[in-house]
Amino acid sequence: MSRPFEHVLQPLDLGFVTLPNRVIMGSMHTGLEEFPPERQAAFFARRAAGGVGLIITGGISPSELGVLGPGMCTMTTEADAKKHKVITDAVHAAGGRICMQVLHAGRQSYHPMNISPSGKKSPIFPFPPQTMTTEVIEQELNNWVNAAALAQQAGYDGIEIMGSEGYLLNQFLTTRGNERDDAWGGDFERRMRFPLEIVRRTRERVGPNFIIVYRMSMLDLVPDGQTFDEVITLAKELEKAGVNIINTGIGWHEAKIPTIATMVPRGAFTWVTRKVKEAVNIPVAASNRINMPSHAEEILARGDADMISMARPMLADPDWVNKAAADKEDEVNTCIGCNQACLDHTFALRQASCLVNPQACYEDQLFYVKTDKPKNIAVIGAGPAGMSFATVAAERGHNVTLFDQDTQIGGQFNIAKQVPGKEEFYETIRYFGAMIVKHGVTLQLGKRVGAADLAEFDEVVLATGIAPRQLPLEGVNHPKVMSYIDVLKEKKPVGKRVAVIGAGGIGMDTSEFLTHDSHHAPASLDIDEFLREWGIDKTLQARSGIEGVKAQVSPSPREVYLLQRKNKKITGPGKTTGWAHREVLLKKGVHMITGVEYLKIDDEGLHIAINGEPKVLAVDNIIICAGQEPQRELQAGVEALGIKVHLIGGADVAAELDAKRAIGQGARLAAEV
Ligand code: FAD
Ligand code: NAP
Ligand code: SF4
C-alpha cells in the first residue's frame, strides 16, 4: 500500500545533506526579527518540531543600505552571527534545518539612503534611490558574501538569496530597474552579472557543503520585466554557478496583479515552475497559494516541481507536515490567504500573527496549558469566536458544551464562504469541526438557547455574534429592500439593477457575489479564468507574462451601484488585498459612488443626493450592508442566575469586528479560563 502523501514526504538528497521531506517553510518577515533572538528561536523551533523539511528565515539585509526600513535587521558583524546562533541551535535541537534569507531591498525600501542600479524610483516606495557606482556595486557584493559567511558561522545550514518580488536583484535583471550601459547593465548577460557574481563568490566562500537556495522571479508581472527566455537563461546560469535549489517567486511588489490573496486560485502558478524545472537539473520548488497536503501531493506527483514552499501555511499550522505524515489532513489548520494578520500587519510595521492561529509568532507568550480545575462551560454561538474558545478550552481539559441555533457550525463564515474568492473560509469551519471532535466538545446544534437552559453551568461564554444594522430610512420595509443575509445565505432572487448601501467588507463582498453568475466558474476556482481576468499570458511569450496581453473579464449579469456616505475612495478592508478587491469590482463594471446621502426608497428605486444634487437610482433591489450591532440579549438573564458571563467576538463589540479579533479573543480567553 502506498504511503499517504508519498511525494510530499519523500526525502531529498542534496549530495551533502538529505532533507527529510519536500516541504520548505518559505521566507516571511514577521516582525520578530527586530526582537531579541529568543522569540524567533521559539517560532522556528516550533515549525522544526512540526516536521518541516527546510526553514527559511525572514529577509536579513547584508548591509545598512539594503534594509527594508530604518533600524531593520542586518547580518554584518560577528556579534550579529552570535545572536543568530540562538535561533539555529533551537531549530537544530528540534530536529530541523534552517537557511537564512539574504535580502537586499534596493529601491523597494522605506529609507532615504536606498540604492539601485539606476536612479529610478519605485512607484510604490517613497524615496528615490541613489544610483550605485561601480565601487558601491563591489561593496554590496562583498557585503552579500560576508553575510553568507556570517550565516554559516551562526550555524545556518545555508542561505536563500532573495532574487524575486522586485528587490535589488530584480532591479539589476530588468530594464525596469537597470538603465546602465556598463559591465553591470545593457544586454541581459550584463544585467544578470550581479546576481551570478553573488552566487559564484558565495559558493567560493562557503564551500560545497552549504545550501544555496535562489528565489527567482519567474514572472515579474510588471512592465519592462524579464522575458521567459531570460528567466530560463538565468536559471541555467544559476545552476552552473552553484545554486542547490531554485525557489519560485511570482510578481514584484509593484505588480498590479494579486499573487497570493484568497482570490488567487490554489496553485495558480505551478505551470510556470514546471517550465523552469524542465530546464535545469537541480530541485525546483513551487510556491504561491499551496496550502493543503493533498494539493501539494498533486503538484509534486504531476511533476510541476520537486519541492513545495509555503510561508503563510506554516504560520497557520506549524504541524502541517506531521499531520500529513499521520494522514490527518482533516486536522490541518488551513491558511485561507486572507493576509489579515500576517502581511497586513507586516506592511503596517506591526508584528505578524495568523487569523486562524493566534499562537503564531506568540509561541513564547500564548500557551494552552492543561487545567487541573476542569469547569463545565457553556458556549453560545458556534461562529469563529465560539469555535475558537470551545476547542481551546476543551483542549485544556474543560468540559465544554457548544450551542448554536443553526444546524451547522461556522456562524458568519458560512455566509463568507459563498462569496467568489472566499471559498477557502470553508476550511476554517472544517478545521474547527475536526477539533470539536478531537477535543471532545459536546455540540448542540439547532437550538436557540435561553438563560433557563444554562442554569447548570459554572460559566457561560456568549459568542452570539451580531445582527445586521437596521436603517432608519423612509421606505426601508419596501419589498425591494433586502439584507446581505437574504442574498448570500438565503439566496433570494435579486434583480438586474441593484444598489448596495454600505461599502465596507460585506458591501464589497455582496457586490462581488452579485457580479457573478452560474455560467462562469469564479476566477478563484479556475486558474485559466484567473489568468484571463488578470491578463497573464500562459504561453509565456509576453515579456513579464503580461506585456501586450488584454485582460478579459466575464461580464457581470447585473448592474451594481456600490454606495458610501463617506467622501473617500472605496477600498476593501485589507491593506494588502483591498486594492485587488476594488480592481475586480471595477473590472466587472460596478459603479462606486461616494459622498452619498440616502433620502428614501419607493417604487421608483433608491432616492439619494450626491453633493446636495438629488438623484434616483432606478433599481430592482436595494441591499443593506450598513454594518452590524452586537447581539447579547442573553447576558442579563444568565447573570441573574449568578453565573459568570464572558462576552467574545461580535457579542462583545460589533464595530470593526473581524474574524481575527473573534478567533484571537476566543483563544486568549480559553487560555486563561
Ligand atoms: P458570528 O460569526 O456571527 O457567530 C455567532 C453565532 O451565534 C451564529 O452561528 C448564531 O447562529 C449563533 N447564535 C446567536 N444567538 C444564539 C442563541 N441565542 N442561541 C444559539 N446560537 C445563537 N471577517 C474577516 O476577518 N475577514 C473576512 O474576509 C470576512 N469576510 C466576511 C464576509 C461576509 C459576507 C460576512 C458576512 C462576514 C465576513 N467577515 C469576515 C466577518 C466575520 O465572519 C465575523 O467577524 C465573525 O464571524 C464574527 O464571529 P462571531 O463568532 O463573533 O460571530
Ligand atoms: P463595516 O466595515 O463597518 O462597513 C459598514 C458600511 O456601512 C460602511 O461602508 C459605512 O460607510 C456604512 N454605514 C454605517 N452605518 C451606516 C448607516 N447608518 N447608514 C448608511 N450606511 C452606513 O461593516 P461590514 O461591511 O458590515 O463588515 C463587518 C465586519 O466584517 C467588518 O469589521 C469588516 O472588517 C469584516 N469584514 C472583513 C472583510 C475582509 O475582507 N477583510 C470582508 C467582509 C467583512 P458610510 O457610513 O461611509 O456609508
Ligand atoms: Fe494565512 Fe490569513 Fe493566517 Fe496570513 S493571517 S497566515 S493569510 S490564514
Side-chain angles (χ1 to χ4, degrees):
M1 213 174 78
S2 68
R3 209 174 155 209
F5 311 115
E6 59 180 329
H7 292 86
V8 171
L9 300 171
Q10 195 185 4
L12 178 68
D13 184 2
L14 293 176
F16 56 94
V17 61
T18 299
L19 303 178
N21 54 59
R22 302 304 177 104
V23 178
I24 296 177
M25 173 178 172
S27 174
M28 184 161 189
H29 193 89
T30 58
L32 292 177
E33 295 82 358
E34 277 68 53
F35 283 96
E38 287 73 15
R39 296 205 62 194
Q40 275 191 86
F43 172 70
F44 287 124
R46 179 71 188 83
R47 273 74 197 162
V52 64
L54 181 65
I55 293 170
I56 306 206
T57 67
I60 313 280
S61 174
S63 75
E64 292 296 338
L65 293 177
V67 292
L68 290 160
M72 290 178 82
C73 49
T74 55
M75 176 66 93
T76 55
T77 64
E78 296 210 350
D80 292 334
K82 205 167 156 202
K83 274 196 262 166
H84 280 253
K85 190 90 175 53
V86 177
I87 299 168
T88 57
D89 282 348
V91 169
H92 293 148
R97 290 187 173 73
I98 182 163
C99 291
M100 186 186 90
Q101 188 188 70
V102 188
L103 180 157
H104 195 304
R107 72 183 195 177
Q108 284 196 164
S109 80
Y110 292 101
H111 70 93
M113 302 300 290
N114 73 87
I115 53 174
S116 193
S118 302
K120 285 171 81 181
K121 182 183 162 310
S122 159
I124 60 167
F125 286 83
F127 300 108
Q130 299 288 321
T131 302
M132 295 168 82
T133 60
T134 45
E135 289 75 24
V136 170
I137 290 178
E138 270 302 329
Q139 166 200 304
E140 293 307 282
L141 271 175
N142 288 335
N143 284 335
W144 205 301
V145 177
N146 184 48
L150 287 170
Q152 192 174 34
Q153 195 177 317
Y156 283 104
D157 300 280
I159 58 162
E160 178 175 78
I161 296 172
M162 178 37 138
S164 72
E165 322 300 302
Y167 292 117
L168 184 68
L169 301 193
N170 293 134
Q171 295 157 34
F172 266 98
L173 283 164
T174 60
T175 54
R176 183 175 177 83
N178 186 347
E179 292 178 332
R180 307 173 77 97
D181 189 12
D182 63 0
W184 304 99
D187 52 24
F188 189 63
E189 203 175 327
R190 285 176 286 163
R191 291 204 304 275
M192 70 176 170
R193 183 170 164 211
F194 187 77
L196 289 178
E197 278 299 311
I198 287 173
V199 178
R200 283 190 203 112
R201 295 186 196 187
T202 300
R203 178 54 78 205
E204 206 176 292
R205 180 77 173 269
V206 297
N209 299 339
F210 191 65
I211 303 171
I212 301 183
V213 184
Y214 188 99
R215 175 118 183 253
M216 74 181 286
S217 182
M218 295 189 185
L219 277 181
D220 290 330
L221 302 181
V222 286
D224 302 322
Q226 298 165 99
T227 64
F228 199 65
D229 285 347
E230 290 171 348
V231 170
I232 294 295
T233 304
L234 177 65
K236 289 178 174 168
E237 292 299 321
L238 289 170
E239 179 180 2
K240 279 193 228 154
V243 162
N244 303 103
I245 297 171
I246 291 179
N247 198 355
T248 298
I250 302 286
W252 292 29
H253 289 317
E254 295 168 10
K256 291 184 177 150
I257 294 177
T259 55
I260 57 168
T262 321
M263 64 171 68
V264 178
R266 286 184 180 182
F269 299 102
T270 66
W271 52 277
V272 191
T273 306
R274 184 187 182 104
K275 293 278 177 218
V276 174
K277 174 177 142 62
E278 284 165 0
V280 296
N281 300 302
I282 49 175
V284 179
S287 78
N288 288 52
R289 286 288 285 118
I290 303 168
N291 58 0
M292 288 300 278
S294 50
H295 181 225
E297 179 69 14
E298 212 180 288
I299 292 164
L300 295 178
R302 198 165 59 218
D304 284 4
D306 305 288
M307 305 182 80
I308 300 291
S309 174
M310 292 175 289
R312 298 172 302 165
M314 292 293 148
L315 282 186
D317 196 335
D319 293 319
W320 194 102
V321 173
N322 283 349
K323 287 176 182 174
D327 202 9
K328 291 187 173 167
E329 185 172 39
D330 65 322
E331 291 188 7
V332 169
N333 195 1
T334 309
C335 165
I336 58 174
C338 65
N339 285 0
Q340 285 176 239
C342 52
L343 286 189
D344 284 357
H345 279 214
T346 305
F347 279 84
L349 301 179
R350 293 174 61 194
Q351 189 192 308
S353 183
C354 172
L355 179 140
V356 299
N357 174 19
Q359 283 184 309
C361 301
Y362 291 90
E363 286 73 15
D364 56 338
Q365 296 176 18
L366 179 57
F367 302 103
Y368 303 154
V369 182
K370 281 269 177 234
T371 180
D372 52 8
K373 292 193 188 72
K375 298 176 187 168
N376 287 326
I377 305 176
V379 184
I380 324 303
M387 296 187 296
S388 172
F389 175 87
T391 52
V392 174
E395 180 183 344
R396 292 191 50 225
H398 292 296
N399 301 312
V400 181
T401 306
L402 176 61
F403 297 91
D404 203 292
Q405 64 195 6
D406 209 334
T407 51
Q408 56 184 350
I409 60 167
Q412 289 179 68
F413 263 33
N414 287 307
I415 309 178
K417 75 179 191 212
Q418 310 294 332
V419 177
K422 289 202 163 169
E423 296 84 1
E424 289 284 3
F425 282 54
Y426 157 78
E427 296 288 6
T428 304
I429 305 174
R430 184 265 311 144
Y431 165 75
F432 278 121
M435 292 302 107
I436 284 169
V437 173
K438 180 172 175 160
H439 299 304
V441 174
T442 304
L443 192 57
Q444 294 213 13
L445 294 177
K447 181 171 171 62
R448 184 164 178 88
V449 177
D453 300 312
L454 303 169
E456 302 304 317
F457 289 94
D458 299 327
E459 295 187 19
V460 168
V461 176
L462 282 192
T464 41
I466 53 81
R469 177 175 288 131
Q470 302 297 320
L471 293 190
L473 180 64
E474 186 185 332
V476 78
N477 294 321
H478 192 281
K480 284 176 186 275
V481 178
M482 303 169 84
S483 79
Y484 63 86
I485 294 177
D486 293 328
V487 177
L488 298 173
K489 189 175 180 197
E490 311 296 337
K491 304 274 167 55
K492 292 189 180 161
V494 180
K496 289 281 177 201
R497 302 192 74 214
V498 188
V500 176
I501 292 187
I506 292 180
M508 289 191 83
D509 278 353
T510 303
S511 303
E512 175 77 42
F513 179 86
L514 292 168
T515 56
H516 287 261
D517 62 25
S518 52
H519 307 303
H520 303 94
S524 48
L525 294 180
D526 179 338
I527 294 177
D528 287 333
E529 176 77 7
F530 171 80
L531 300 176
R532 266 195 303 277
E533 194 163 278
W534 290 95
I536 301 169
D537 168 34
K538 207 177 175 184
T539 69
L540 294 170
Q541 301 299 307
R543 180 178 286 279
S544 263
I546 54 164
E547 271 185 27
V549 184
K550 204 169 164 336
Q552 292 172 322
V553 178
S554 304
S556 167
R558 293 186 186 83
E559 186 165 17
V560 178
Y561 295 86
L562 178 58
L563 310 173
Q564 175 181 277
R565 294 179 302 180
K566 285 185 284 293
N567 214 342
K568 75 183 241 270
K569 188 168 153 182
I570 295 175
T571 59
K575 192 171 171 64
T576 59
T577 52
W579 66 271
H581 288 289
R582 174 183 165 85
E583 193 65 28
V584 168
L585 294 181
L586 290 174
K587 280 175 193 274
K588 290 274 188 181
V590 170
H591 310 282
M592 298 190 188
I593 308 180
T594 60
V596 174
E597 186 189 347
Y598 305 109
L599 303 176
K600 65 172 180 179
I601 295 165
D602 61 18
D603 290 346
E604 278 187 84
L606 176 63
H607 296 248
I608 57 174
I610 305 166
N611 299 325
E613 278 291 310
K615 188 176 163 92
V616 184
L617 297 178
V619 291
D620 306 311
N621 292 107
I622 295 107
I623 300 166
I624 299 184
C625 304
Q628 306 173 327
E629 308 281 1
Q631 186 165 248
R632 50 177 175 236
E633 302 79 39
L634 273 175
Q635 184 178 6
V638 181
E639 282 173 349
L641 296 171
I643 299 173
K644 186 167 182 183
V645 174
H646 306 271
L647 295 172
I648 57 173
D652 179 24
V653 179
E656 293 177 16
L657 169 71
D658 61 9
K660 178 176 69 175
R661 169 148 66 79
I663 292 174
Q665 204 180 2
R668 285 191 161 77
L669 176 64
E672 287 167 11
V673 78

